[in-house]
Amino acid sequence: QVQLVESGGGLVQAGGSLRLSCAASGSIFSINAMGWYRQAPGKQRELVATSTSGGSTNYADSVKGRFTISRDNAKNTVYLQMNSLKPEDTAVYYCNAEGFRWLSVPFHSWGQGTQVTVSS
């Protein structure tokens, strides 16, 4: 099993910043991609940002220029720096990771989610 543990969510005023962290643990051989998704009440889960082991990043149009994803591969940890937050960023943010466990067993794991609330 590969576990993802998120932290860093909370309540912030519009225009403020938060930094989310997600640490992966377990029998990990390699992680190909890590990323963040979010789900607002009544809406489907959507991609926020992803980062590959090769250094490529991808962002939702709605967060480009405001959010930055980064990774510490030595710690199997991914971060999401969120600046200039807007009320529409309010959602539960989920960490996602995919890669291989030992003996080439693939994995695709989700974190438990962390709430981000942006007040106007």
Side-chain angles (χ1 to χ4, degrees):
Q1 292 282 356
V2 176
Q3 294 83 34
L4 304 180
V5 177
E6 300 127 333
S7 61
L11 173 64
V12 64
Q13 288 188 332
S17 299
L18 283 174
R19 188 189 192 214
L20 305 182
S21 299
C22 171
S25 63
S27 56
I28 299 170
F29 177 75
S30 64
I31 298 179
N32 297 335
M34 299 187 80
W36 292 93
Y37 292 71
R38 67 187 181 187
Q39 187 166 17
K43 295 187 177 181
Q44 290 188 332
R45 190 174 297 188
E46 62 176 3
L47 179 147
V48 176
T50 60
S51 173
T52 70
S53 57
S56 298
T57 57
N58 183 45
Y59 294 92
D61 288 341
S62 59
V63 306
K64 284 181 180 177
R66 301 188 297 122
F67 291 10
T68 302
I69 189 170
S70 61
R71 287 173 62 169
D72 184 335
N73 291 324
K75 295 181 179 180
N76 289 332
T77 299
V78 64
Y79 306 94
L80 185 68
Q81 178 66 44
M82 304 184 293
N83 298 328
S84 302
L85 282 160
K86 305 175 181 180
E88 50 264 43
D89 294 318
T90 295
V92 177
Y93 284 69
Y94 295 92
C95 177
N96 173 277
E98 57 184 89
F100 291 93
R101 297 166 58 191
W102 294 102
L103 301 180
S104 300
V105 175
F107 74 86
H108 187 185
S109 297
W110 289 91
Q112 80 285 357
T114 185
Q115 178 69 45
V116 171
T117 303
V118 184
S119 62
S120 57

